[in-house]
Amino acid sequence: MTRSARKVLLTGWFSFLHGEATAGDVLALHRVRAVLDHAGIPYDVAWSPGYRADAPHLPEAAENSYSHLVFLCGPLHGPQIEELHTRFRSCVRIAVGTSVIDATSPAVRGFHHVFPRDAPGDAPPVRDLAAGAPAVTATPVVGVILTHGQGEYGQARRHDEVAAELTRWLASKDCARLELTTRLDSHDWRLCATPEQFESVVRRLDVVVTDRLHGLVVALRAGVPALAVDPVEGGAKLSAQARAVDWPATLGVGQLHPDELERWWRWCLTSGRALAEQRRREFLGTPAHGAAADATDALLKALSAGD
């Protein structure tokens, strides 16, 4: 390729070896890519190998293959950006949608053009690039509720094995994963302090993946389908509860295969929704309105036995 041919190398903090790929930066990249696609301008994207190992990386980018280098989003400062000016000295270098902290710094002054989102002085701020990114396709939001305890099950424990298999499988899914714990804490801001708070979080999910009994129960109370895996060899309290509430999307340790996980995943996101809503109505009903019985009837009888 000749230098006169126009081709752009798109870079950002997501390009550096120890850089950070954030949702906002990548959305900003989507915005710039859409604009260049519409204009018919060819480009490559340089990704950090720590984020995308199978994509083009900055050290592999040949300087003489590009007429322009564009750095987008994030703050303009530091030696990593200064190095871009040295390495791509023959390219026209443009910064767009960035934050300028010190306009006199070499990182800023090395660009031929800077179109910041914010900078010192009286110029009004400009809308961030991420705001104008093309609409994204919604993906399922998955609450992941796992336990690594329950030592009372002794040699029948398969909790670590189950957690490793589930998290490896989930990592390959196109979904938003949200790690949750049923533990309550009134002092740790990261945790829910009440069951009402926890259930409010679960209610906003599309599906729950869990190896906890109460992960299953709270999900169904919220009308959210659960893919449950009993982490005890031979089955224990989670399997028993699944039978008690007649919930089919429950696997044992020996059933923890990708094909089975995929089958019940699809079921949870389709027809499982209606059954979860039905269970919610049953759970939150009253005995007079057909709610399933639990152990409280036996408790009342025992408490009344001496009367």
Side-chain angles (χ1 to χ4, degrees):
M1 165 171 186
T2 64
R3 175 64 64 185
S4 59
R6 180 171 56 171
K7 188 173 184 181
V8 178
L9 180 64
L10 298 179
T11 64
W13 286 99
F14 52 79
S15 304
F16 299 134
L17 176 61
H18 301 296
E20 184 177 82
T22 69
D25 286 1
V26 176
L27 284 171
L29 173 63
H30 291 346
R31 167 63 173 162
V32 172
R33 293 182 70 169
V35 169
L36 297 187
D37 286 339
H38 185 73
I41 298 174
Y43 61 85
D44 290 331
V45 180
W47 292 98
S48 167
Y51 178 63
R52 290 189 56 183
D54 59 343
H57 303 140
L58 193 57
E60 303 160 4
E63 179 216 356
N64 60 6
S65 296
Y66 302 101
S67 59
H68 295 72
L69 178 139
V70 172
F71 189 92
L72 57 98
C73 208
L76 293 182
H77 78 99
Q80 290 171 296
I81 296 179
E82 293 173 27
E83 184 181 343
L84 291 178
H85 300 315
T86 301
R87 183 175 166 202
F88 295 93
R89 62 173 63 87
S90 62
C91 292
V92 175
R93 298 178 300 280
I94 304 171
V96 60
T98 55
S99 291
V100 173
I101 300 167
D102 177 4
T104 67
S105 73
V108 176
R109 293 175 62 188
F111 287 101
H112 296 88
H113 307 284
V114 178
F115 306 113
R117 62 189 174 191
D118 54 86
D122 298 329
V126 176
R127 189 176 68 179
D128 185 76
L129 292 171
V136 298
T137 301
T139 61
V141 180
V142 184
V144 185
I145 307 173
L146 303 176
T147 176
H148 299 279
Q150 300 182 345
E152 62 270 22
Y153 287 105
Q155 294 185 351
R157 288 185 76 259
R158 297 292 183 271
H159 295 59
D160 294 342
E161 174 187 333
V162 166
E165 184 64 30
L166 281 176
T167 52
R168 182 166 51 247
W169 170 71
L170 281 169
S172 69
K173 303 295 295 179
D174 183 15
C175 63
R177 295 165 289 274
L178 182 63
E179 185 179 17
L180 299 174
T181 176
T182 58
R183 184 170 69 85
L184 303 178
D185 193 316
S186 58
H187 303 290
D188 188 338
W189 69 268
R190 295 166 295 184
L191 301 179
C192 294
T194 67
E196 291 82 4
Q197 293 174 7
F198 183 76
E199 191 169 324
S200 292
V201 174
V202 174
R203 195 176 297 123
R204 289 163 170 79
L205 303 173
D206 294 307
V207 65
V208 166
V209 173
T210 187
D211 66 358
R212 296 197 71 117
L213 179 157
H214 284 127
L216 169 63
V217 171
V218 176
L220 297 184
R221 273 182 54 87
V224 176
L227 199 173
V229 178
D230 195 318
V232 179
E233 187 70 46
K237 59 185 179 181
L238 192 151
S239 296
Q241 189 60 208
R243 292 194 301 272
V245 301
D246 193 19
W247 184 251
T250 307
L251 302 176
V253 174
Q255 300 171 295
L256 200 56
H257 306 298
D259 288 347
E260 280 294 285
L261 290 169
E262 289 293 335
R263 181 167 76 92
W264 286 111
W265 170 267
R266 291 192 297 269
W267 180 85
C268 284
L269 291 174
T270 53
S271 53
R273 297 173 182 267
L275 186 58
E277 176 58 23
Q278 181 180 330
R279 293 293 176 270
R280 184 192 70 82
R281 292 194 299 267
E282 293 169 355
F283 286 8
L284 302 183
T286 62
H289 291 85
D294 55 24
T296 53
D297 290 341
L299 170 65
L300 290 176
K301 288 181 181 178
L303 290 173
S304 303
D307 292 349

